[in-house]
Structures are given as structure tokens and as C-alpha cells.
Amino acid sequence: MPVRPSTFSIAARDPASDAVGVAVQSKFVGVGALVPFVSADAGAVATQSFANVAYGPDGLDRLREGRDAADVIDALTSADDEAPSRQVGIVGLDGEPAAFTGGDCHDYAGDLQGDHYTVQGNILENEATLTAMAEAFEETDDGLPERMIAALHAGNEAGGDRRGEQSAALYVAKPEGGYGGRNDRWIDVRVDDHDSPINELERVFRLYDVTLLEREAPDETRELTDDAAAEVATALADLGFLDEGDATGVDAFGEPQREALETFRGMNNFENHPLPVLEDAIARGWTNAEGEGEDRLVDAVWHGISRLDRV
């Protein structure tokens, strides 16, 4: 029997930021290599369930020609003898999203569309998986990547892939959104094999976010003081960035603590955030951050900068 990247996914766009993308989870290894196809000058295609990966580039080419999503799906499936086993969701840069679920897809299989998005899945535990995804995407007040990750979490919690979990991916394109502005690959993170792939995808995305994505400069910055200063100093000492003596009795950050934070900044490739912005982010995010040591420091940075708009 041919392998089937059976899964649940969301294809969506954010007109305000010109971003478009796909988020996907499956009990299938490396689903990010098969399902998402995205281009900032065309739209997004999610192809799954005995996936015809040619639907990706061919669908994007047709979107570039100005065809709407429904017309693109008609063209792809009408030329495919095995279309009854396929599932595909498409979002263009304008017009209504559309999806196709072939009659031979394994139950539960279906799709659901809303403003600027389509969700689809097969071999699902229930129809509620798709409903929960749609509701989470619509109700999450955040950027496109966070809204799509929220949709994956909600779908999984409502039932998800009835075979379980294995891999997940998030691929978002934006004009000049790539590294150095030289391509449109704004966000591209994958978890190919993991017991909790959506949780791991979110962790990797947050690290990617604070490392590679630009934020607007804050109007003001805070310094680390009181308990947060003492705990961050201890964490930096435990990581070998700060002498133990400079981590004792700390109630505010001074020169040795900031030198250690600067070393931490360089070791983690956080050069896109000036040192005062990094300290401000940790000061604001420390209480809500999870984990220990470096994991908590990174999570604090993400929580602290999340209030700032992405550039």
C-alpha cells in the first residue's frame, strides 16, 4: 500500500503583513518535506493524503497566472486519475480559499474554509478537529505564525490524527522576508520525528523568532532588578558566562552581569536585538518564561519581545 502523508493542516494568509503559509501535523515522518508549498508571489498549497507533490509547484504556478484557488484545484484534480485519494487546500493572495477532499480519503476526512484560511485533514479522530482548528485561528489575537500554531494545538487537542503524532512543520512566506531580505522564506521550521511534535515546533519557532525575525524598537527599555536580576545572574553563572562571585547578592544588573549577558547574546546569535533590548525582554518575560537555564533565558526573551510588532 502506498504511504499516505495523512494529516491535518491549515493554509492561511495575513493581508496586513502580506504573509502566507501552511502549518501541518501528522503521524508521518518529515511531513514538512511533503505537504507545504508556499510562495509570497502566489500563495500556499497544502497537499496530503496519498499526496501528489506536483500539486505544490503546479498549483503555485497557476495562482501566479491569476487563477483563483477553486479554479486551481479543479485544474489539478481533473488531470489526476488518482484524485479521489488526494486532499489539497489552497490559499491565493486574494479571493476565497478552497480545498478538495477526495472520496477515497480515509475517514474522518474533510475540509473547512473561512476568511483567509482553509483547514483540512484525513484519518482524523473526528470532525471536531477541523472545527477546533478554525475557531482557534479566528480567535487567536496574534501574528499569522502564532495563529497557525494555535490551530494545530486546538486540532490535536480536539482529536487530531487518530494514529497519533510524529512530525509537524510551519512554512510562511513574505516578500523579502528571508534572511537578509534576499528571498521570501520568512519562517521555515520543521520537526521531523518527535513524541510531541507540535509542542516542539512551537519551541523551535520561538527560538527561530528571537534569532532571525526583526521587531520594532521599543519606546523604552527596562533594566533587570530585584529577584529577576538575581535569578538571571545565577542562570548566567550556571552557564559559565558569569563568575560565581558576580552572581551573589545581585539586586540589579551592572557591568559584569551585562558583559555576561552580552556573551550569552553572541553565543545564541541574538545580534538582531541590541543588548538593552535583550535585557528589557528578559526583564519583562522572566516571570512567564518556562524551563531552566538557557531554555528559560530564551523563553524569557521571546515573551518579552512578543509585545513588539514584527517588521
Side-chain angles (χ1 to χ4, degrees), residues 232-272:
V232 172
T234 298
L236 291 170
D238 290 344
L239 291 168
F241 298 139
L242 181 65
D243 290 340
E244 292 290 343
D246 291 323
T248 303
V250 174
D251 59 6
F253 258 41
E255 183 176 349
Q257 292 81 26
R258 291 197 176 98
E259 287 181 357
L261 188 59
E262 175 65 26
T263 303
F264 166 80
R265 173 175 171 264
M267 289 290 289
N268 285 276
N269 302 299
F270 293 161
E271 287 88 352
N272 57 330

Side-chain angles (χ1 to χ4, degrees), residues 1-5 47-55 73-88 100-106:
M1 177 179 176
V3 295
R4 293 173 179 254
T47 176
Q48 55 204 49
S49 180
F50 191 34
N52 183 343
V53 294
Y55 281 12
I73 287 176
D74 286 344
L76 294 174
T77 56
S78 64
D80 183 359
D81 291 340
E82 296 182 284
S85 297
R86 317 289 194 197
Q87 188 173 51
V88 60
F100 169 83
T101 299
D104 291 346
C105 293
H106 295 321

